[in-house]
Amino acid sequence: MNTEESLRPQSLMLTFLGDQVLGRDVCVYSGSVIDVFARAGIGEQATRSTLTRMVNRGLLRRQREGRRMYFGLTEHSAAVLRDGERRIWQTGAVNREWDGTWTLLGFSLPESWQRQRHDLRAKLAWSGFGPLFSGLWIAPGEVDVSSLVAELGLAAHVKIFRAHADTGMDIGAMIEETWDLAELAGHYEGFVRRWQPWETRLPDDASAASGSGESALASSPSSGREEPHLAALALRLRLQAEWLQVIRRDPRLPVRHLPDDWPAEQAEKTFRAVYDRLTPLAQGASERLLDLVPVRPDQV
């Protein structure tokens, strides 16, 4: 599956708001969002629908200023974005600091609880767990899943432990049996293929909106000198959203027990290099073109 093509408008919206709004106590004008998303290949109707759905789900809130509607973060969406920010800039994609600790989660559910079993497995996989055995899942490090278990109402059916492997245990073999390393590596390799060309180039006009990594951008009428800046802003938006999607799929397995050619480090270098290359143009566009207003105290 092409990760770039699988990006949902909501993922892009959260990335955009995390980049432009998080921690600043501001709201952004809907028209500004529509302009940027148009360059990222998302039509006006889809953008408006995404904003409305996210308001209804408690991820955004509205603030009217005259005849214009602005959108800001809620406590819930700010928490989600702070977690993503930590994952990108602090935790990183390569786990070199693993201390040998594993989190084990065992569960036993009635046979008739097919939906609950499916939901639990899906959330465990999203949290970095893999199935050591059918009812015993494992994740590297100390992973707090208490809120996840409580949310599903399964606390009485789940047991959680911290453990270390016994001396002589082949951890590399266990990892290969528990996680699909080829699939994880494929996500990183695909990211590098799509984005590495941008390490040495910049969008210089509206024609940057066609082909491979730059296919993320939709062709739009040139607006003169501003167009490269807008293209860079939209391109950086998709870069961040795709990178976050890739690393959220990764349980951060200890690198010393992974194949020598594990591609996460190269992918992270590509992400940071392209991000740094696009940022001057993208930052210039956001400062000049985004309509931001302070959050009103009565709206908090």
Side-chain angles (χ1 to χ4, degrees):
M1 178 180 64
N2 187 321
T3 304
E4 177 193 39
E5 292 176 355
S6 71
L7 288 175
R8 296 181 302 155
Q10 179 173 304
S11 298
L12 288 170
M13 188 69 71
L14 285 170
T15 300
F16 174 77
L17 294 168
D19 197 39
Q20 303 296 334
V21 173
L22 183 65
R24 299 178 62 187
D25 290 327
V26 296
C27 297
V28 61
Y29 171 48
S30 60
S32 297
V33 180
I34 289 167
D35 284 347
V36 173
F37 274 48
R39 271 72 177 185
I42 309 296
E44 178 175 347
Q45 174 138 5
T47 301
R48 290 188 184 277
S49 296
T50 300
L51 288 168
T52 300
R53 283 197 303 271
M54 292 177 71
V55 169
N56 293 337
R57 294 182 58 196
L59 293 171
L60 292 180
R61 54 182 183 73
R62 297 184 179 97
Q63 178 172 308
R64 183 175 292 280
E65 299 288 338
R67 302 176 71 177
R68 291 190 164 191
M69 187 65 73
Y70 292 75
F71 291 84
L73 299 174
T74 62
E75 288 186 13
H76 177 48
S77 56
V80 170
L81 292 173
R82 282 192 293 268
D83 177 70
E85 191 175 56
R86 282 192 298 271
R87 189 69 198 269
I88 290 177
W89 301 113
Q90 297 175 30
T91 307
V94 182
N95 186 353
R96 297 186 181 88
E97 295 80 33
W98 182 64
D99 64 359
T101 302
W102 295 92
T103 299
L104 277 68
L105 184 146
F107 63 90
S108 179
L109 304 180
E111 284 298 320
S112 59
W113 287 18
Q114 295 297 321
R115 180 183 58 80
Q116 291 91 334
R117 184 177 288 105
H118 174 271
D119 290 347
L120 177 60
R121 287 171 173 167
K123 288 184 177 292
L124 287 176
W126 184 250
S127 299
F129 284 78
L132 190 60
F133 300 108
S134 61
L136 181 62
W137 287 54
I138 188 170
E142 295 191 10
V143 183
D144 184 2
V145 289
S146 55
S147 59
L148 179 157
V149 173
E151 177 188 341
L152 295 174
L154 298 177
H157 301 270
V158 168
K159 301 291 185 291
I160 303 169
F161 303 89
R162 311 285 185 220
H164 286 75
D166 197 8
T167 303
M169 170 79 175
D170 190 338
I171 295 176
M174 182 199 73
I175 286 175
E176 289 186 5
E177 293 168 1
T178 306
W179 284 274
D180 188 339
L181 296 187
E183 182 180 13
L184 289 172
H187 291 312
Y188 283 118
E189 290 161 355
F191 181 89
V192 172
R193 283 195 303 272
R194 284 188 291 278
W195 290 100
Q196 200 168 49
W198 288 100
E199 291 187 33
T200 55
R201 63 177 295 192
L202 287 170
D204 53 7
D205 56 30
S207 66
S210 60
S212 189
E214 61 268 39
S215 67
L217 302 178
S219 297
S220 57
S222 176
S223 55
R225 194 172 61 86
E226 300 288 11
E227 188 63 33
H229 296 73
L230 268 173
L233 182 59
L235 194 61
R236 192 181 68 166
L237 167 64
R238 295 200 69 109
L239 170 77
Q240 291 175 272
E242 183 177 336
W243 179 241
L244 185 57
Q245 189 175 77
V246 169
I247 60 176
R248 281 200 184 281
R249 289 171 168 157
D250 184 352
R252 296 194 78 246
L253 299 164
V255 69
R256 67 176 179 264
H257 294 294
L258 292 172
D260 292 338
D261 59 350
W262 190 245
E265 184 172 7
Q266 178 57 57
E268 188 163 55
K269 287 179 179 177
T270 294
F271 165 74
R272 290 179 179 268
V274 177
Y275 181 90
D276 289 345
R277 189 162 182 81
L278 292 173
T279 288
L281 280 176
Q283 200 62 34
S286 64
E287 290 172 359
R288 286 196 304 275
L289 303 173
L290 297 186
D291 182 358
L292 304 171
V293 297
V295 175
R296 290 202 307 264
D298 64 323
Q299 297 292 309
V300 177

